[in-house]
Amino acid sequence: MPRLRIRRCTATNAAGTGNDAFLDALRERRSGLAPCEFLDADLDTYVGRVDGLETMPWPAEWAAWDCRNNRLAWLGLEQDGFVAAVDDAVKRFGVHRVGVVLGTSTSGILHTELAFRERDPQTGRLPTPLHYATTHELSSAPRFVRERLGLKGPMYAISTACSSSGKVFASAQRLIGSGICDAVVVGGVDTLCLTTLYGFSSLELTAPEPCRPGDPERSGISIGEAAGFALVEADTDDADDLCVFGVGESVDAYHMSTPHPDGVGAELAMRRALEAAEMSADAIDYVNLHGTASRVNDAAEDRALEAVFGAGQVCSSTKGWTGHTLGAAGITEMVIGALAVEHGFVPGTLNTRQVDPAFSADYRLENRAGRPTRVLSNSFGFGGNNCSLLLGRKEGVA
C-alpha cells in the first residue's frame, strides 16, 4: 500500500478548537474534562464536552442535517484552513477524484434519542420530520462532509468502535493505491449521547474522576467528543512531508468488550504497521497509547508494547486532555502525533499520579521537549478491532 502524504490535518475536541488551541492545551496541561452535566444524565463521571455546539448558528438550507454530530463536523472543518486545502485538491485532481472516508461509533444517534422523548403520548408516533438518513444513519457524517466540501468522489463510513478513525487511513491507502482516488478526506466525528454515557456506565467502565491512564489506581474512562480530519494524497519525494508510513490492522476474535489479556491483537497491529512501513521497532521515538484508563485495556496494551519493543519504550496516553472520543479517537491522536513531530515535544499523561509498577514501558507523565521523528499511534476498539498508525517525517527513511 502507498505511503500517504498528509497535506493538512485538524482536530477539535474539549481541549481545543483547531490545532493551535489544542496544542496550547497540550503544552499547558489544560484538560478538557469536566463533571458530566450533559442533558439530564444522572451519572457520577467526567466528560470531554465541546462547548457551544447547541447554540452554534446553523444555516437554514442545512436544516435536514442538523444534529450534534454534524454540528461538530462543521466546526471541525472550519479550522486550520482545511476547506481551502480541499478546494486546492479539487483544482488539482477534479471533484470526482477526492473521496471521503470517516469513522464514527454512534453517528448522530442523539438526534433519535431526543426524538423518542417527543413521541406522541397516544400513538407513540415519532415527531416529524425526523431526518434519520441525514443525522443518525452511520453514513450521515461522511455524506454531510462530502456535501459540505462539494466533493463527488467515493464516500463511506467505517464503524469499528474506537478504532474507526484509525482504519480510515487503510481505506485511503486502498482508494489511492487502486487508482480510484487521488486524494481522500479521512477522519472521524463522534459526539456525546445517552447511549454511550449510560452504556459504558452500565459496563462499570466510567470513572468518577478525570481518567488516569496507566495509574495503579485507575478507575475507568472519561468519555469525550471530537471531530478531526486529514487530507491525504500519494506520497512525494519531498523530505519535509509529514507521512503515514504504514497502517497495521488486526482482530482479536477474543471477546466483545475485553481485549485479549496478553494484548496479542494489539501486538499484531503494531507489528503490521512496522512491517508495512518497512521499519524496525527501534525506529519509533514515541508511542501514543490507546490508554483509556481501563484496568484491563491498559495492562493488555503494556504487554503488547513489551512484546514488540521490549521494556522501556517511550509512550503516553493523551486521553486525560480529551477523554475517550471513541470513533474519533484515531484521528484525534494521529493529529497529536503530527503536532508532536512538527512542534518538537512529547506529551505526557495528564491526571496520572504514578505509573502502575507492573508496567514495563517508559510511561511518560510529564511533557518533555524533544523532536520525535516517527510516532506510532494505537486505537483499539470493542470486538478486538485494532489499528496502529505509523507516521512522521521522512528524515532518514529510504
Side-chain angles (χ1 to χ4, degrees), residues 117-162:
R117 291 184 170 189
E118 298 175 9
R119 284 180 299 174
D120 185 298
Q122 302 302 318
T123 66
R125 183 174 299 167
L126 291 166
T128 55
L130 174 63
H131 301 292
Y132 175 84
T134 50
T135 59
H136 180 164
E137 203 271 330
L138 281 176
S139 65
S140 61
R143 284 180 62 202
F144 171 73
V145 167
R146 186 172 69 161
E147 291 290 323
R148 172 69 184 86
L149 297 173
L151 301 175
K152 301 292 185 184
M155 172 281 298
Y156 54 91
I158 291 180
S159 187
T160 55
C162 311

Side-chain angles (χ1 to χ4, degrees), residues 29-32 211-213 317-318 320-321 348-352 365:
R29 298 177 66 80
R30 276 188 285 107
S31 173
C211 65
R212 294 160 58 183
S317 167
T318 47
W321 276 272
T349 306
L350 205 57
N351 307 323
T352 298
L365 301 189

Side-chain angles (χ1 to χ4, degrees), residues 68-84:
R68 187 175 187 85
N69 220 47
N70 288 340
R71 282 173 174 256
L72 183 51
W74 184 295
L75 181 65
L77 288 171
E78 293 299 311
Q79 310 307 315
D80 300 304
F82 194 80
V83 174

Side-chain angles (χ1 to χ4, degrees), residues 226-346:
F229 304 97
L231 175 65
V232 295
E233 303 173 6
D235 188 21
T236 69
D237 293 331
D238 190 337
D240 291 332
D241 283 352
L242 191 64
C243 286
V244 173
F245 294 107
V247 183
E249 299 176 277
S250 71
V251 177
D252 280 13
Y254 176 76
H255 190 274
M256 284 296 292
S257 59
T258 301
H260 190 286
D262 291 328
V264 294
E267 176 189 344
L268 184 57
M270 290 188 277
R271 289 193 186 280
R272 284 177 171 167
L274 289 165
E275 181 182 353
E278 299 180 332
M279 292 182 188
S280 59
D282 59 8
I284 304 303
D285 300 311
Y286 162 64
V287 177
N288 187 289
L289 300 166
H290 188 55
T292 61
S294 150
R295 296 202 66 79
V296 174
N297 289 15
D298 287 4
E301 188 171 14
D302 184 74
R303 293 188 188 102
L305 243 67
E306 184 172 15
V308 175
F309 298 98
Q313 173 62 44
V314 173
C315 62
S316 71
S317 167
T318 47
K319 286 186 168 61
W321 276 272
T322 63
H324 187 357
T325 59
L326 306 177
I331 184 68
T332 298
E333 289 155 20
M334 189 290 293
V335 173
I336 291 173
L339 292 174
V341 171
E342 289 185 333
H343 297 276
F345 80 109
V346 174

